[in-house]
């Protein structure tokens, strides 16, 4: 999976630099609402999806009161309902773009997504058209401080036992990749080890990447940024190769 972790790390670093804390909180609050309504009620012990949403909230230091209020609000049968939707298409230079959103108004969301594709040099495609480009993988970001003092070789063996396909380390995190099917197994393994990831989520990882020149690449970064500014959009995945030049544009 060479190159994928670099892509993920740049994506994470950009999010931190942009300080999109409020948007991250909003996304997690929506995840909590969906988990309560669709995943099995307000008890995290009996609702794995809610347990995951709460864990991701803790990973970004969301106050416990915020989490509890969101669970209580979602338990009200009259509270707003959200739907998870995805949109697929191509951006400048033929780069594949996979947009994940959570919305209480699908007409508004699809209208906004289509407008961004059209205005910034892209084209909205049909759902399923990019399935061959991306793999759905479990991605766990573990702060190095969480494994301080552990023997790294032994730790990696434990992760492999939990379903890790690849384990990569940078200056701040250990990034663990699993198959879609082993996502739950890795969650259980990390719980057994007493390790709390900063984030644990299913991501769409490109099987291969496409390279563009700097000017065309900047157009792709621009359309991604426009999507990310939309309140309904959670995440935008792409298959553009992140060169050092492009990474510098994101700083």
């Amino acid at each position: 999976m060479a190159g994928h972790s670099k892509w993920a790390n740049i994506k994470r670093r950009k999010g931190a630099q942009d300080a999109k804390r409020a948007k991250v909180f909003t996304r997690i609050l929506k995840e909590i609402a969906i988990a309560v309504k669709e995943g099995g009620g307000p008890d995290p012990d009996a609702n794995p999806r809610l347990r995951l949403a709460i864990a991701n909230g803790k990973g970004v230091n969301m106050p416990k009161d915020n989490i509890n209020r969101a669970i209580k609000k979602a338990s009200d049968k009259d509270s707003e309902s959200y739907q998870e939707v995805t949109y697929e298409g191509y951006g400048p230079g033929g780069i594949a773009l996979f947009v994940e959103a959570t919305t209480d108004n699908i007409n508004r969301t699809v209208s906004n997504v289509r407008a961004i594709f059209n205005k910034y040099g892209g084209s909205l495609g049909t759902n399923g058209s990019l399935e061959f480009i991306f793999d759905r993988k479990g991605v766990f970001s573990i702060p190095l401080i969480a494994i301080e003092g552990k023997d790294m070789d032994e730790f990696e063996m434990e992760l492999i036992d939990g379903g890790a396909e690849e384990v990569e380390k940078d200056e701040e995190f250990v990034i663990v990749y699993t198959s879609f099917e082993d996502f739950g197994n890795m969650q259980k393994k990390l719980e057994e080890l007493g390790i709390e990831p900063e984030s644990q989520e299913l991501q769409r990882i490109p099987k291969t990447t496409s390279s563009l020149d700097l000017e065309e690449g900047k157009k792709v970064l621009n359309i991604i940024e426009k999507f990310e500014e939309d309140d309904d959009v959670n995440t935008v995945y792409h298959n553009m190769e992140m060169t050092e030049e492009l990474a510098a544009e994101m700083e």
Side-chain angles (χ1 to χ4, degrees):
M1 208 181 293
H4 292 160
S5 64
K6 182 179 176 185
W7 169 81
N9 291 344
I10 289 170
K11 177 173 169 286
R12 185 182 63 240
R13 202 178 308 126
K14 181 179 187 292
Q17 287 171 347
D18 289 351
K20 294 180 179 176
R21 184 182 178 85
K23 175 135 189 181
V24 171
F25 276 22
T26 299
R27 176 175 62 82
I28 290 170
L29 292 174
K30 287 180 181 178
E31 287 175 6
I32 289 172
I34 291 173
V36 171
K37 286 186 177 292
E38 298 182 12
D43 180 6
D45 291 332
N47 185 339
R49 184 166 184 177
L50 177 57
R51 200 157 59 242
L52 174 61
I54 291 171
N56 281 332
K58 289 178 179 176
V60 294
N61 298 315
M62 177 178 281
K64 190 175 180 181
D65 285 350
N66 293 34
I67 293 171
N68 291 337
R69 276 199 303 272
I71 294 171
K72 185 177 180 181
K73 183 179 178 182
S75 302
D76 182 346
K77 62 181 175 63
D78 294 325
S79 66
E80 58 198 344
S81 294
Y82 292 103
Q83 287 179 270
E84 294 174 301
V85 289
T86 61
Y87 302 98
E88 302 168 42
Y90 289 91
I95 292 299
L97 297 174
F98 202 115
V99 180
E100 292 183 347
T102 307
T103 181
D104 58 356
N105 185 329
I106 283 191
N107 289 337
R108 176 192 68 222
T109 306
V110 70
S111 175
N112 290 349
V113 167
R114 183 181 288 112
I116 292 169
F117 268 115
N118 291 342
K119 185 173 181 179
Y120 296 98
S123 59
L124 179 62
T126 56
N127 275 10
S129 59
L130 300 185
E131 287 296 324
F132 68 100
I133 291 176
F134 296 93
D135 280 327
R136 208 155 187 220
K137 298 283 187 183
V139 182
F140 297 77
S141 298
I142 303 168
L144 288 181
I145 195 169
I147 57 170
E148 202 169 22
K150 288 186 181 291
D151 180 281
M152 195 60 196
D153 289 337
E154 288 181 12
F155 180 55
E156 284 196 28
M157 291 306 295
E158 291 277 10
L159 294 175
I160 290 168
D161 185 53
E165 292 183 341
E166 188 163 351
V167 180
E168 296 182 342
K169 183 179 175 184
D170 64 20
E171 63 274 9
E172 296 178 70
F173 292 88
V174 172
I175 312 294
V176 183
Y177 296 91
T178 73
S179 68
F180 176 84
E181 293 76 16
D182 277 327
F183 182 72
N185 293 334
M186 182 57 68
Q187 284 182 293
K188 290 175 187 171
K189 172 59 71 174
L190 292 174
E191 283 177 16
E192 285 173 17
L193 296 172
I195 291 170
E196 197 168 288
E198 181 177 289
S199 66
Q200 43 190 320
E201 57 189 356
L202 290 164
Q203 294 186 9
R204 299 179 193 273
I205 307 293
K207 295 175 183 176
T208 59
T209 55
S210 299
S211 58
L212 298 178
D213 63 41
L214 181 59
E215 287 310 308
E216 202 73 0
K218 284 161 69 173
K219 292 178 185 177
V220 175
L221 293 181
N222 185 52
I223 192 173
I224 290 171
E225 187 173 352
K226 298 304 178 186
F227 280 125
E228 290 178 339
E229 288 173 358
D230 187 279
D231 289 340
D232 295 335
V233 171
N234 299 330
T235 314
V236 183
Y237 298 104
H238 63 85
N239 69 334
M240 180 171 66
E241 181 181 335
M242 293 305 302
T243 63
E244 294 301 325
E245 284 182 309
L246 280 172
E249 290 293 325
M250 299 172 73
E251 293 177 356

